[in-house]
Amino acid sequence: FVVLEIMLVAAVYWWPTFEENLPSIKAIAAPIKMLSSLVDQVDQFGVSGYIVGQHFFKGCSALGTAAAVLFGANAIAGEAHRGTMEVWLARPVSRRRLMGERWFGGLLVVIGPVFASSTTVPALLGMFDKTMAMSDLMRCSVHMSAFLAAIYSVAFLWSCYGSEPMRISFVMLFASVMVFALYLVEGVTHYSLYRLVEIKVFMRIITEDAMNWTLLAPMLGCVVIAYALSSRAFLKRVP
């Protein structure tokens, strides 16, 4: 939350400078088609496009993905790696409860800062006589959280099968960097998962005043399936 908020404060502080120098920024970004497209979207949607780009697409996507992978990978595999799995399983509660508490606790840590930092946007924009509706920010936060929850759930599922959290984290973080890099490559950008959380997706949520269930439903479906598979794996796991 602290890092997200620092990035958000910095982004809002530099908005007037960004707006003033937008023509120059567009000229610099022109050689890279996808980057130019992002700048054009900010130009089209104004401060709302700038905020969703800086806060959700850049900040929450980058930091949120890292948090989702690290918390998910360490959730179960960390116990096995530290040799504390038997002690943990010896608690007088069911395995379903043990896993459920660990899963929901990690998810809360991942998505909580997204909502918390988003609530500060109107106050920050107010310093420059700009504003964004809290309802729009909360809907965008739900969409962003669903994306992070899907990544977290996959990492958690792998953790239920593994015992080396560092390996899980390294592989998934490397894959996330590669997938994000694909977003900026013309021709293969449509194969990047980060298309699910690009600026125009959030702006559609804002302009239509409704959730984009075409994208949201598959992400939530991934979460449900991954949780069910994680539960099955954890119930059968031996220390």
Side-chain angles (χ1 to χ4, degrees):
F1 167 75
V2 172
V3 178
L4 275 180
E5 192 64 18
I6 290 174
M7 294 176 64
L8 185 56
V9 169
V12 173
Y13 177 80
W14 288 106
W15 161 249
T17 303
F18 180 90
E19 185 179 31
E20 180 181 348
N21 294 282
L22 192 54
S24 299
I25 296 173
K26 293 177 68 174
I28 294 173
I32 305 176
K33 185 175 181 179
M34 289 306 303
L35 185 58
S36 178
S37 175
L38 290 175
V39 177
D40 288 339
Q41 290 174 44
V42 173
D43 186 25
Q44 176 185 356
F45 297 114
V47 70
S48 296
Y50 177 78
I51 291 298
V52 299
Q54 291 285 343
H55 181 51
F56 294 111
F57 178 68
K58 187 181 76 173
C60 294
S61 289
L63 292 177
T65 295
V69 170
L70 293 175
F71 279 101
N74 192 60
I76 306 299
E79 298 286 352
H81 183 72
R82 292 187 295 269
T84 55
M85 178 70 80
E86 291 184 3
V87 177
W88 186 46
L89 293 178
R91 293 177 59 195
V93 294
S94 68
R95 284 201 177 196
R96 291 186 186 278
R97 177 178 169 182
L98 283 175
M99 196 207 83
E101 289 177 345
R102 186 62 58 91
W103 190 88
F104 283 105
L107 180 64
L108 181 61
V109 173
V110 172
I111 68 175
V114 176
F115 286 93
S117 56
S118 296
T119 60
T120 67
V121 171
L124 293 173
L125 289 177
M127 295 186 298
F128 301 100
D129 295 323
K130 302 290 185 179
T131 188
M132 284 185 70
M134 186 64 73
S135 58
D136 291 335
L137 290 165
M138 290 300 99
R139 277 191 292 270
C140 290
S141 295
V142 170
H143 186 89
M144 186 76 245
S145 296
F147 178 79
L148 297 179
I151 296 174
Y152 169 79
S153 298
V154 171
F156 191 97
L157 173 60
W158 193 351
S159 183
C160 287
Y161 283 100
S163 57
E164 298 183 35
M166 288 299 294
R167 176 179 295 182
I168 298 172
S169 299
F170 177 81
V171 172
M172 289 199 65
L173 287 175
F174 180 80
S176 68
V177 171
M178 291 293 294
V179 172
F180 188 81
L182 289 178
Y183 181 86
L184 296 176
V185 181
E186 185 180 359
V188 296
T189 181
H190 294 289
Y191 297 98
S192 174
L193 290 177
Y194 288 91
R195 300 284 295 196
L196 296 171
V197 288
E198 62 183 349
I199 295 176
K200 63 182 179 182
V201 169
F202 289 111
M203 290 311 304
R204 178 181 174 185
I205 293 174
I206 292 174
T207 56
E208 295 185 359
D209 199 27
M211 300 301 302
N212 187 343
W213 287 100
T214 302
L215 301 180
L216 185 61
M219 292 190 290
L220 294 178
C222 175
V223 173
V224 172
I225 293 172
Y227 184 88
L229 293 176
S230 296
S231 180
R232 179 179 179 183
F234 186 67
L235 289 175
K236 294 182 178 180
R237 178 162 184 159
V238 294

